[in-house]
Every structure is written in C-alpha cells, then in structure tokens.
Amino acid sequence: MTKLCEGRVALVTGAGRGIGRQYALMLAAHGARVVVNDLGGNIDGSGTDSSPAQQVVSEIRSTGGEAVVDGHDVSSWSGSKAMIDTAINEFGQLDVLVNNAGILRDRMLVNMQEAEWDAVINVHLKGTFAPTHHAAAYWRDRSEQTGAPLNVCVINTSSVSGIYGNIGMDGADLD
Ligand SMILES: NC(=O)c1ccc[n+]([C@@H]2O[C@H](COP(=O)([O-])OP(=O)(O)OC[C@H]3O[C@@H](n4cnc5c(N)ncnc54)[C@H](O)[C@@H]3O)[C@@H](O)[C@H]2O)c1
C-alpha cells in the first residue's frame, strides 16, 4: 500500500530534538525522504552539535527510510539557502518545509534584555522567513520550468504563548 508521504521530500528545521524530531520520524514513517536540520545548540542557543540530528537520521535509516543531516543555522540567510539546496541535491526536490527550530528566553516585557530579544527574533522570525523565502523562490522556478501546479506546503510552528500571551512564558526568571 502506498504511504501517505511516498515520493515527498521534507525539510524539518530543529529536528534533532523535541517536536521537530517527532515530525521527522513521522514524515519518514509515512514514506517521506527527510532533511533533518539542527544546529544542535544548547537550550539558551549557545554552541553547536551535529549528533542529535545524526541520531535522528540513523533512526530513520535503521527502519529503511531515507534521511540526511543538515547543520545550518535557520537564522542565516545563506545557511537557509544551503539547507534547501541539500534537499534538492540529495533527493532531487523539496515538497514540504516544516519551520520548527526554536530557542527559549523566558522573560517579561520589563526584564527582557536586548541580546535576548535579538536572539529570539533571529531564530523564530528570521529563522522562519529565510528558509520559507528560499523554498518559495525554488518552488516558483520549478513551477515556471514545468508549467504544472505544485503540491507543496509550509508548516510553521507557533505557540499559545505567542498567540494569547503568557507571563514570562513558563514563569521562570521573572526578576
Ligand atoms: N515544547 C513546547 O511545549 C512548545 C510549545 C509551543 C511551541 N513550541 C515551539 O516548538 C518548537 C520546538 O520546540 P521543542 O520544545 O521541541 O524545542 P527543543 O529545544 O526540544 O528543540 C528545538 C531544536 O531546535 C534547534 N535549534 C535551535 N536554534 C536553531 C537554529 N538557529 N538553527 C537550527 N536549529 C536550531 C535546537 O538545537 C533543538 O534541537 C519551537 O519553535 C518552540 O518554540 C514548543
């Protein structure tokens, strides 16, 4: 029986851990070939480590799926282009982009520091816009070349804390 995502290529950002990891595993279980992007930093955004993404790739391959690691930073314009190119070079196309990578800075309006604000805006806003920009540019070219409508999608991760507000996110570090 054909799987739901058979023939599809998906890029999941921040897929080395947490929710992104589950997206990647589930997409692969449904037959998608997956680019597992993750910078592998600490929860405060510092450092890099390719091993979480590598573990997800190994897990997918161990069950017969296809996946590759990408270690670029989603907030980098050129890095975002490179991760889209990874999908195209490794699997011939990109069909699904899941913008999931994120960092935590639990602060309120009164105690948020400039560097913390910049870090969150960089990863969450630019880190959603940049991969989407490069994916959309690639899809426009593909559509113009083939002349056929595309069946592609972008999935953005959000949070009730972002939509409705929440004091200091989880209540930590409110001084
Ligand atoms: N966990 C929750 O309860 C919850 C609730 C609402 C929204 N979210 C959002 O869901 C997303 C995933 O959350 P999670 O709890 O799975 O987080 P997580 O910390 O477990 O995983 C996030 C992953 O993103 C990666 N990452 C961080 N910055 C990156 C960058 N610049 N480039 C590439 N990768 C980067 C990290 O290395 C990490 O592996 C986040 O955007 C988060 O804000 C989470």
Side-chain angles (χ1 to χ4, degrees):
M1 196 171 77
T2 307
K3 293 180 177 174
L4 186 66
C5 301
E6 200 88 56
R8 310 276 278 168
V9 177
L11 162 60
V12 185
T13 70
R17 308 186 186 98
I19 300 167
R21 176 177 175 277
Q22 293 301 327
Y23 284 140
L25 294 175
M26 184 165 283
L27 283 159
H30 284 285
R33 290 167 288 167
V34 185
V35 178
V36 179
N37 160 266
D38 205 295
L39 190 60
N42 300 312
I43 195 142
D44 66 359
S46 64
T48 60
D49 178 5
S50 64
S51 57
Q54 189 57 62
Q55 281 169 19
V56 176
V57 166
S58 301
E59 206 169 323
I60 290 171
R61 288 181 180 165
S62 73
T63 56
E66 290 182 65
V68 290
V69 170
D70 178 277
H72 288 99
D73 183 339
V74 291
S75 67
S76 157
W77 197 258
S78 58
S80 293
K81 169 85 166 64
M83 65 181 81
I84 304 297
D85 288 344
T86 296
I88 299 162
N89 294 336
E90 294 286 336
F91 298 130
Q93 66 197 58
L94 175 72
D95 306 298
V96 179
L97 169 63
V98 183
N99 289 308
N100 164 81
I103 58 171
L104 264 189
R105 296 291 186 279
D106 287 334
R107 293 286 187 263
M108 296 193 300
L109 179 64
V110 292
N111 65 359
M112 170 72 82
Q113 301 300 304
E114 183 181 3
E116 296 166 336
W117 171 264
D118 287 345
V120 171
I121 291 296
N122 241 342
V123 175
H124 286 262
L125 189 55
K126 188 177 176 188
T128 296
F129 180 78
T132 307
H133 160 80
H134 292 297
Y138 155 68
W139 285 327
R140 185 175 63 176
D141 286 349
R142 196 169 117 190
S143 171
E144 285 173 355
Q145 279 164 19
T146 62
L150 298 181
N151 180 13
V152 296
C153 69
V154 177
I155 298 164
N156 292 327
T157 304
S158 187
S159 168
V160 286
S161 300
I163 295 169
Y164 299 109
N166 189 10
I167 298 171
M169 229 296 280
D170 71 356
D173 287 329
L174 299 182
D175 293 336

